[in-house]
Amino acid sequence: MEIPPVNYVYYLAVNSIYRTVNAIIRESLPVKTEDMLIGALLRVPAQAIQRRLIKGLNAAGFDELRLPHMAVLQFPGPDGARPGTIAERAGMSKQAINQLLRSLESFGYIVRSDVPGEGSARIVRLTERGHAAFSEMVDILRDIEDEWRAELGPERFTQLKGLLFVVWDSPLAR
């Protein structure tokens, strides 16, 4: 076994210390709001809403639901949609969505059935339990909107929602 030159060992040690110090400095510096990019500004609240949805659904007796299920249950919901459409909405592969659909089906939230006259085409339907969970989600989301309205004030909340509608209807969201 060949022993590396001292300079190489020194380089590795210094490089390791440099990376550690840089990581500590980056973690200790607060991110300035003006430096945050739109992706984080939209992602962080969306993730907080999803966590809140799951917590609320679990508290309401829908104990099996987890964050990954939100990919299927997100607006406009899976009722009447084909698995491929649900996968496209979620930005996931059909295989991944089918795994989530199997999970939701085993818990009694959905059923998948054949589309008459369309060969192997399948369609997803919410069960009674699925409709109840979806209704609970709407109630939780209304509560979240009320809290955001109270935090931002009615005028700023209306502006925020209006701007999000503009983005929703624009090519920016496609």
Side-chain angles (χ1 to χ4, degrees), residues 151-169:
E151 180 70 27
L152 298 174
E155 185 177 320
R156 287 181 22 190
F157 179 78
T158 301
Q159 288 175 330
L160 172 64
K161 203 164 175 180
L163 289 170
L164 291 172
F165 275 126
V166 170
V167 172
W168 177 281
D169 287 334

Side-chain angles (χ1 to χ4, degrees), residues 52 139-151 157 161 165:
R52 174 84 179 275
D139 291 344
I140 294 166
L141 288 167
R142 289 187 200 289
D143 290 344
I144 291 169
E145 282 201 8
D146 290 344
E147 291 169 13
W148 283 42
R149 189 176 292 105
E151 180 70 27
F157 179 78
K161 203 164 175 180
F165 275 126

